[in-house]
Amino acid sequence: MNELRQEIPQENESFGSVNPVLVKRQYILQQNPFLMGDELDDPALEIKSVDEFTLSRKNDRIPLYLLLSLNDVKRGKKRRLIKRNFKLWKKEYLAKEKEFLQRVHNQKTATKDKNVKKFPFVTWLIYLFSFLMVLVLFYNYPMFQKNAPGVYRFLYRVKEITSTYFGEALLISLSLVLFFVLVYGIYQNRVLCFLNRKFKASSRQLAILSESSKRTFRKKYKKAYRFYLAKIDNPSQNAFGLNNLIEPKYRFSQMEKLFDLDMENASNFAKNNKLFKLKRILMHSVTILLALALICYVGFRMIAK
């Protein structure tokens, strides 16, 4: 046993200085293998199997492969040590899983009532009708000359009034704003629908991945647990390779990235949803003010004469 305790310091001394790769490797091998992320894929660390991970004892740690090869440690003690450490690994994983799933649940709860605040279709039709009316009444009024002379004379008088500098500025401004709102309404709905689909897709993918990871861990844990209990009686068995652990896509490091992406998508959708609503209110206000200003100006000039 004393040889084991001296093994790591002797390895460090042989280098003459601290090797950061070796330090990182030793640190990782003391962690829970089921909670490891992309570090396991680093070829510089040369971690090939679960056998290299260390188990906690009273005053030190011992690699799995070394524990299994020791003849002076009784079979029952090996089983107790492996069982205790595997149960500890399971407890740590389940705690991490519970915390992560709670975050996913909180995120889902916070965003489940987020509806797309689209530009209402009825409102868009009203703007379209208003825009067409402006084009007809102010720019194509001669069409009423034969069939509706009274309307023609009225519109002709309105045209004279709006031919002034101020009247023309109001009319052009109103026409441009109406056209802009029509285009903006289509653009807003397309953008919001795209962001909403993107957010829902990442949320759905995260939910599926979370549920799959739960099943995967329980399956892989049971397999590794039984493997090492059986290996006590047959230590010459091949090592339990890292490929038999949780697949990379089910690691918490990958799910954290997907969760961050989901949070970003939700934030973008909520921000744009609110921003578009404010812009829509502003455009409605500008349109109404311009229309009232034009009506008041035309009415005032007619009364004045």
Side-chain angles (χ1 to χ4, degrees):
M1 294 297 179
N2 292 331
E3 294 177 359
L4 169 65
R5 296 174 186 173
Q6 296 174 0
E7 181 179 347
I8 293 177
Q10 288 175 354
E11 194 174 5
N12 281 335
E13 289 172 5
S14 64
F15 282 88
S17 61
V18 177
N19 186 328
V21 176
L22 181 60
V23 171
K24 182 178 180 181
R25 184 178 190 277
Q26 291 173 353
Y27 171 77
I28 290 175
L29 292 178
Q30 295 178 23
Q31 307 306 309
N32 185 337
F34 294 99
L35 288 176
M36 288 295 96
D38 299 336
E39 304 93 342
L40 296 178
D41 301 325
D42 188 350
L45 299 178
E46 297 183 348
I47 301 176
K48 305 297 183 182
S49 69
V50 180
D51 289 37
E52 300 173 64
F53 282 82
T54 60
L55 303 182
S56 174
R57 297 196 301 180
K58 290 183 179 180
N59 300 317
D60 58 6
R61 303 187 68 87
I62 179 171
L64 250 172
Y65 73 87
L66 186 57
L67 172 68
L68 294 170
S69 65
L70 291 175
N71 296 322
D72 58 338
V73 179
K74 294 182 179 180
R75 179 178 181 275
K77 189 173 182 179
K78 290 181 181 180
R79 286 180 62 88
R80 287 194 299 272
L81 192 58
I82 290 175
K83 283 184 176 181
R84 185 171 71 245
N85 278 270
F86 264 82
K87 288 179 180 179
L88 178 61
W89 287 345
K90 182 179 181 180
K91 183 178 179 181
E92 291 174 347
Y93 185 94
L94 293 179
K96 175 73 174 178
E97 179 184 78
K98 182 179 179 181
E99 183 267 338
F100 179 77
L101 292 178
Q102 184 61 45
R103 289 167 58 197
V104 173
H105 174 74
N106 293 341
Q107 164 72 354
K108 188 181 297 184
T109 302
T111 57
K112 68 177 181 179
D113 296 326
K114 297 290 184 182
N115 297 319
V116 181
K117 294 181 174 61
K118 292 183 178 181
F119 195 101
F121 182 66
V122 174
T123 304
W124 190 85
L125 287 178
I126 293 174
Y127 272 93
L128 178 61
F129 177 77
S130 301
F131 180 69
L132 294 176
M133 288 297 293
V134 168
L135 292 181
V136 171
L137 297 179
F138 290 95
Y139 296 102
N140 295 300
Y141 64 91
M143 63 185 295
F144 296 101
Q145 188 172 6
K146 291 184 178 180
N147 298 325
V151 174
Y152 170 75
R153 286 193 296 272
F154 174 77
L155 293 178
Y156 182 80
R157 175 66 183 134
V158 171
K159 180 62 178 176
E160 285 184 330
I161 295 174
T162 55
S163 295
T164 62
Y165 177 79
F166 187 69
E168 189 173 13
L170 286 174
L171 180 59
I172 293 175
S173 298
L174 179 61
S175 302
L176 291 176
V177 168
L178 288 172
F179 179 75
F180 175 78
V181 172
L182 289 172
V183 175
Y184 179 81
I186 298 173
Y187 167 76
Q188 172 188 307
N189 288 351
R190 290 178 66 89
V191 170
L192 285 180
C193 286
F194 169 76
L195 292 175
N196 188 42
R197 285 196 303 269
K198 187 177 179 181
F199 159 59
K200 287 185 175 180
S202 61
S203 296
R204 186 164 51 250
Q205 185 180 359
L206 180 61
I208 293 173
L209 197 61
S210 299
E211 289 300 318
S212 299
S213 68
K214 290 171 63 176
R215 294 191 297 270
T216 299
F217 167 72
R218 284 150 181 77
K219 179 180 178 181
K220 298 293 185 179
Y221 172 83
K222 184 182 292 186
K223 182 178 180 180
Y225 180 70
R226 291 177 176 176
F227 175 86
Y228 281 105
L229 288 181
K231 196 173 181 180
I232 294 174
D233 299 320
N234 186 13
S236 61
Q237 286 188 69
N238 292 331
F240 195 84
L242 295 180
N243 59 317
N244 292 317
L245 282 178
I246 298 174
E247 292 91 335
K249 66 178 181 179
Y250 294 130
R251 293 173 184 167
F252 278 114
S253 58
Q254 295 299 319
M255 290 195 291
E256 287 284 356
K257 293 178 182 178
L258 184 57
F259 179 79
D260 292 340
L261 176 63
D262 186 52
M263 288 284 288
E264 182 181 351
N265 290 338
S267 176
N268 288 337
F269 170 69
K271 181 173 62 177
N272 282 279
N273 212 17
K274 184 176 181 180
L275 187 61
F276 277 132
K277 182 180 179 180
L278 294 175
K279 289 181 178 179
R280 193 164 64 242
I281 294 173
L282 178 62
M283 287 187 295
H284 291 336
S285 302
V286 171
T287 305
I288 293 172
L289 288 175
L290 283 174
L292 289 175
L294 182 61
I295 293 171
C296 291
Y297 178 73
V298 171
F300 175 78
R301 291 294 299 270
M302 282 188 168
I303 294 173
K305 288 193 176 183

